[in-house]
């Protein structure tokens, strides 16, 4: 009896020492779980994707309603003359693939998708083609947009991976359109500026309030920003003659005058064989990369140096790439290149 009493006392002493420790451990576990359930993930504590440029809205993208979209786009195939009904998603995937390398950042590709979407709807609203097409493209030559068959050929063994990535990016902005006063904006785009974009009236003769000159100085670091084209006097003479001009073969150094330039530095006007012409005219006539050019004649050769690539109006694709690499989101990029527009959809 005495031994049983002593054993009971020992057991009570052991339990008395263990219960506080168990209670402590239980409480600690409960508190740890509660803290974990309320803790903000480290990634969400970082700034939101993207950033801002001077003069751009730093808030979330606008989500104003837009009811003027279309599920099918009417695109004329330049190689056949046929007007094709292209589903919106297919067109946007093909347009981005035709315009930007898939190695570029996601935000640049998304900006290109929205710009292509808005532009085709703007063309629809201003279309005058007798066949009803909104715009024309040549998928076989990889111009405008690429069909799925062309993408298979173009990407080869990378098709599956590229398609999964690009289609996901397009899907994330599929319903979004850049608008001005409630209508799709004419969101034109091109490859590389000379450091500033060009106002639309200097290229196409009509002014749009969101197609104005803006800074794009990141383009100065673009691949092939400056290119010099060498043409013989005979080649230039033939090209000008094809445009109805009559160059004096005895005085090629007098064929071109010093140009006047726009505020962005592109050639506005110059004298070509005694006739005043636009910089855009000479760009087309000689196949120049840009209307920011200088011409030097020496020993029977013309040396024409260009800065940038494309018409210069709207979204600089290289600029979009550079801004995306700096951390800007697609909506901030679009707001910079198309000031005064609203992202809808």
């Amino acid at each position: 009896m005495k031994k049983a009493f002593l054993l009971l006392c020992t057991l009570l002493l052991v339990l008395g020492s263990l219960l506080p420790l168990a209670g402590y451990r239980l409480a600690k576990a409960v508190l740890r779980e509660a803290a974990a359930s309320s803790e903000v993930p480290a990634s969400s504590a970082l700034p939101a994707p993207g950033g801002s440029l001077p003069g751009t809205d730093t808030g979330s993208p606008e989500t104003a309603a837009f009811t003027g979209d279309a599920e099918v786009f009417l695109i004329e195939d330049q190689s056949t003359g046929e007007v094709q009904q292209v589903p919106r998603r297919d067109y946007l995937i093909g347009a981005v693939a035709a315009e930007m390398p898939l190695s570029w950042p996601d935000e640049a590709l998304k900006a290109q998708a929205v710009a292509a979407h808005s532009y085709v709807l703007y063309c629809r609203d201003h279309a005058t083609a007798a066949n009803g097409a909104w715009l024309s493209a040549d998928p076989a030559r990889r111009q405008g947009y690429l069909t799925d068959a062309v993408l298979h050929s173009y990407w080869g063994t990378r098709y599956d991976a590229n398609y999964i990535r690009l289609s996901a990016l397009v899907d994330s902005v599929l319903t979004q359109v850049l608008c001005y006063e409630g209508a799709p904006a004419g969101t034109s785009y091109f490859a590389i500026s000379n450091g500033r974009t060009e106002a639309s009236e200097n290229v196409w003769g009509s002014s749009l309030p969101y197609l104005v000159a803006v800074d794009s100085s990141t383009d100065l670091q673009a691949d092939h920003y400056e290119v010099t084209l060498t043409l013989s006097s005979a080649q230039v003479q033939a090209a000008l003659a094809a445009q109805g001009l009559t160059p004096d073969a005895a005085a090629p150094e007098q064929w071109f005058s010093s140009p006047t330039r726009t505020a962005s530095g592109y050639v506005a006007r110059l004298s070509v064989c005694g006739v005043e012409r636009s910089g855009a005219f000479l760009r087309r006539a000689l196949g120049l990369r840009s209307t920011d050019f200088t011409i030097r004649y020496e020993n029977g050769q013309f040396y024409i140096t260009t800065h940038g690539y494309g018409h210069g109006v709207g979204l600089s694709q290289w600029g979009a790439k550079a801004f995306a690499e700096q951390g800007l989101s697609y909506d901030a990029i679009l707001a910079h290149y198309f000031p005064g527009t609203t992202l809808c959809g």
Side-chain angles (χ1 to χ4, degrees), residues 8 23-24 53 58 93 98 102 116 123 145 148-149 205 234 276:
L8 178 61
Y24 166 76
L53 288 167
T58 58
I93 291 171
L102 266 290
C123 291
Y145 88 103
D148 192 62
E276 188 177 84

Side-chain angles (χ1 to χ4, degrees), residues 205-284:
S206 59
S207 173
L208 288 173
Y210 51 83
L211 293 181
V212 295
V214 301
D215 176 76
S216 194
S217 53
T218 54
D219 291 359
L220 274 63
Q221 281 72 52
D223 296 339
H224 311 299
Y225 164 76
E226 180 177 289
V227 173
T228 297
L229 175 66
T230 302
L231 297 173
S232 68
S233 57
Q235 288 175 308
V236 174
Q237 182 178 16
L240 297 179
Q243 300 298 321
L245 299 173
T246 55
D248 181 359
E253 68 280 0
Q254 298 178 12
W255 291 353
F256 306 108
S257 70
S258 296
T260 60
R261 295 182 178 270
T262 68
S264 293
Y266 298 90
V267 171
R269 311 289 295 181
L270 77 166
S271 175
V272 182
C273 301
V275 181
E276 188 177 84
R277 288 288 185 264
S278 68
F281 165 84
L282 198 61
R283 180 187 174 221
R284 290 191 301 270

Side-chain angles (χ1 to χ4, degrees), residues 266-307:
Y266 298 90
V267 171
R269 311 289 295 181
L270 77 166
S271 175
V272 182
C273 301
V275 181
E276 188 177 84
R277 288 288 185 264
S278 68
F281 165 84
L282 198 61
R283 180 187 174 221
R284 290 191 301 270
L286 299 182
L288 306 180
R289 288 167 56 89
S290 167
T291 56
D292 182 353
F293 56 80
T294 58
I295 303 175
R296 179 171 61 89
Y297 175 77
E298 185 177 333
N299 299 326
Q301 302 282 342
F302 284 95
Y303 301 92
I304 308 174
T305 300
T306 57
H307 295 107

Side-chain angles (χ1 to χ4, degrees), residues 118-142:
S118 309
Y119 184 75
V120 73
L121 294 180
Y122 176 88
C123 291
R124 174 201 64 185
D125 295 345
H126 298 82
T128 58
N131 60 9
W134 302 352
L135 52 75
S136 60
D138 195 341
R141 293 184 174 87
R142 301 177 185 174

Side-chain angles (χ1 to χ4, degrees), residues 49-69:
S52 62
L53 288 167
T56 62
D57 182 8
T58 58
S60 301
E62 297 274 0
T63 55
F66 179 70
T67 58
D69 208 344

